[in-house]
Amino acid sequence: MDRMYFDHAATTPLDTAVLDVMLPHMRDRFGNASSVHQMGRQARFAVEESRERVAACLGAEPGEIVFTSGGTESDNFALKGVFDAAASDRSSHLITSSAEHEAVLRPAERLQRNGVDVTFLDPGEHGAVTVAQVREVLQPETKLVSLMHANNEIGTLTHIREIAGLCREQGVLLHCDAVQTVGLLGVDVNDLGADLVSISGHKFYGPKGIGCLYVRGGVDLGSLVEGGSQERDRRGGTENVPAVVGFAEALERAVEAAGKRVSHIRSLQEQLIAGIRDRVDPPFVFNTPVDILDATAPHIVNVSFPPVDDAPIDGEMLILNLDMQGVMVSAGSACTSGAMEPSHVLSAIGRDRPTASAAVRFSIGKDNTAEEVDAAVDALAETVRRMRR
Ligand SMILES: Cc1ncc(COP(=O)(O)O)c(C=O)c1O
């Protein structure tokens, strides 16, 4: 057990069975899906068949699936697309939360600079915005509500279904970044009720650089990338056929295995929480709301180590020390680790700077074992003890 990977919220390994279905499209079936000849038609067939498979997994229509390069692009497309399409409409309003992924926050800030009125809701101590909060700030000018399904740093689930009901009632579009849940919880877009859903392949054992945006029929988003007629003029550029095929295969496998995977991962999450409670020296504070586990995604446990005698623990050093013992975890969002600023999510749920800076996010995958969790708890307990000494 010299390598224990607990960073599945950052990315998952590519399933070898998924790689196997991708390889022929890299080696022999290299045609451009826009070409008219037989190899082009073969590639087109692979893309459209994959679109059908993805749609079936999500309870969507094939025409509602736009392939993108992943979660970041899907989030950008959702936000920019809605406000581009409404550009002639001078008054417009976006509601989101300050605990969203940067792929939503940065486009929201850009829209704000361009004159859109943006409300960033405070997610409260557990890290999720409530339907009552959204109701309170809805305006006649509100065009879009954008909220994530599971927070990628602490795992809290947002009650998207209830919020979707409210949005529908008010004629407002709802975008949901479901990058951390689709492929784990088995999401049906009609059940979720969102009009736009962001999905990323590398979070469920598919390839990197591929994902999709579900766009409910009738929602006008315009085009994100101009210059080609691919994806029904919404995203120009030659399709990455191997990635599209791998994405569909990985999603199908994930949806099929969801029940088994979730119960395994949830049991390891419970074991990890119990292990930390029993064997790590206090003080520590769970950033994941561990007392309401049903309201969290099953794969994430985020815990902070507040200062003792005013001596803070350096979060980066903590991660590196764990890494030296073979335990791979994140300090927070993978996209922000490396930056010295404490996590915006932990700040948003009220952690002070030294506590937010000394956080560890474990994210569990389908192939982790109880023995690995046990060894990871030992490594964490020992590392924290040593760093505090
Ligand atoms: C919630 C969330 N949204 C968006 C992204 C970005 O996805 P991608 O890496 O596919 O661009 C991530 C990745 O960590 C994420 O966790």
Side-chain angles (χ1 to χ4, degrees):
M1 258 196 306
D2 50 16
R3 221 176 64 152
M4 289 164 271
Y5 186 80
F6 284 103
D7 202 14
H8 295 84
T11 197
T12 55
L14 182 66
D15 196 324
T16 50
V18 173
L19 176 63
D20 287 345
V21 303
M22 293 171 66
L23 284 174
H25 296 275
M26 289 171 153
R27 281 201 196 105
D28 314 313
R29 303 183 201 165
F30 57 83
N32 185 320
S34 298
S35 297
V36 174
H37 51 68
Q38 53 178 292
M39 284 193 66
R41 293 199 307 274
Q42 190 177 49
R44 169 62 49 210
F45 179 80
V47 170
E48 296 315 321
E49 194 202 28
S50 300
R51 196 186 310 279
E52 282 170 21
R53 292 169 69 192
V54 168
C57 288
L58 302 172
E61 293 297 323
E64 296 176 318
I65 304 300
V66 182
F67 289 119
T68 66
S69 67
T72 303
E73 186 182 316
S74 296
D75 286 348
N76 270 263
F77 191 17
L79 269 70
K80 293 174 182 169
V82 166
F83 287 93
D84 254 12
S88 56
D89 198 347
R90 288 204 359 258
S91 54
S92 54
H93 178 225
L94 164 69
I95 299 171
T96 185
S97 97
S98 50
E100 297 302 301
H101 192 273
E102 285 81 358
V104 165
L105 291 177
R106 297 292 95 82
E109 287 161 5
R110 173 181 288 272
L111 289 169
Q112 195 173 38
R113 286 196 297 277
N114 292 345
V116 173
D117 180 15
V118 184
T119 302
F120 293 95
L121 290 170
D122 175 350
E125 60 168 331
H126 295 318
V129 159
T130 63
V131 66
Q133 282 180 285
V134 177
R135 185 178 289 116
E136 210 168 292
V137 296
L138 270 174
Q139 307 169 9
E141 293 78 22
T142 309
K143 292 270 167 316
L144 179 71
V145 173
S146 176
L147 294 169
M148 67 208 315
H149 195 196
N151 185 280
N152 54 299
E153 294 195 34
I154 60 175
T156 313
L157 291 165
T158 305
H159 292 290
I160 293 294
R161 243 179 255 134
E162 288 174 30
I163 294 170
L166 172 67
C167 288
R168 191 156 318 131
E169 207 179 277
Q170 301 294 320
V172 171
L173 294 174
L174 174 63
H175 165 243
C176 178
D177 175 336
V179 164
Q180 289 295 338
T181 49
V182 166
L184 185 62
L185 298 183
V187 170
D188 178 296
V189 288
N190 294 310
D191 188 35
L192 196 66
D195 303 289
L196 300 154
V197 182
S198 298
I199 299 168
S200 174
H202 71 101
K203 307 294 184 181
F204 45 84
Y205 308 90
K208 293 174 177 57
I210 182 77
C212 74
L213 181 66
Y214 160 77
V215 183
R216 190 176 295 284
V219 174
D220 180 17
L221 276 195
S223 51
L224 175 68
V225 182
E226 290 163 296
S229 58
Q230 289 90 350
E231 299 302 297
R232 296 206 191 153
D233 289 328
R234 289 177 291 195
R235 198 232 187 202
T238 301
E239 293 91 340
N240 183 350
V241 182
V244 164
V245 169
F247 176 67
E249 180 75 19
L251 183 58
E252 231 171 46
R253 286 174 176 273
V255 168
E256 233 171 71
K260 239 170 83 186
R261 279 186 193 174
V262 168
S263 63
H264 172 66
I265 290 170
R266 182 72 88 186
S267 80
L268 296 186
Q269 182 195 42
E270 286 165 0
Q271 182 192 340
L272 179 57
I273 293 164
I276 293 171
R277 278 185 170 143
D278 288 350
R279 279 143 59 196
V280 178
D281 291 344
F284 53 79
V285 45
F286 284 106
N287 299 310
T288 299
V290 294
D291 296 326
I292 46 164
L293 265 197
D294 279 357
T296 73
H299 60 310
I300 293 175
V301 176
N302 190 317
V303 57
S304 275
F305 300 92
V308 174
D309 299 332
D310 282 338
I313 284 194
D314 179 333
E316 293 287 315
M317 282 309 292
L318 181 54
I319 306 294
L320 290 173
N321 279 320
L322 285 171
D323 187 31
M324 284 194 289
Q325 295 172 75
V327 179
M328 285 170 275
V329 292
S330 263
S333 160
C335 317
T336 50
S337 63
M340 295 314 284
E341 279 305 298
S343 141
H344 68 282
V345 175
L346 302 185
S347 302
I349 63 167
R351 299 289 176 259
D352 59 31
R353 199 181 167 94
T355 304
S357 299
V360 176
R361 178 190 69 180
F362 288 84
S363 49
I364 302 160
K366 67 181 176 69
D367 298 320
N368 284 128
T369 63
E371 291 71 33
E372 285 179 326
V373 170
D374 206 37
V377 171
D378 281 346
L380 180 67
E382 163 60 24
T383 305
V384 170
R385 200 171 300 132
R386 195 155 23 87
M387 287 182 74
R388 278 195 175 135
R389 220 178 272 146

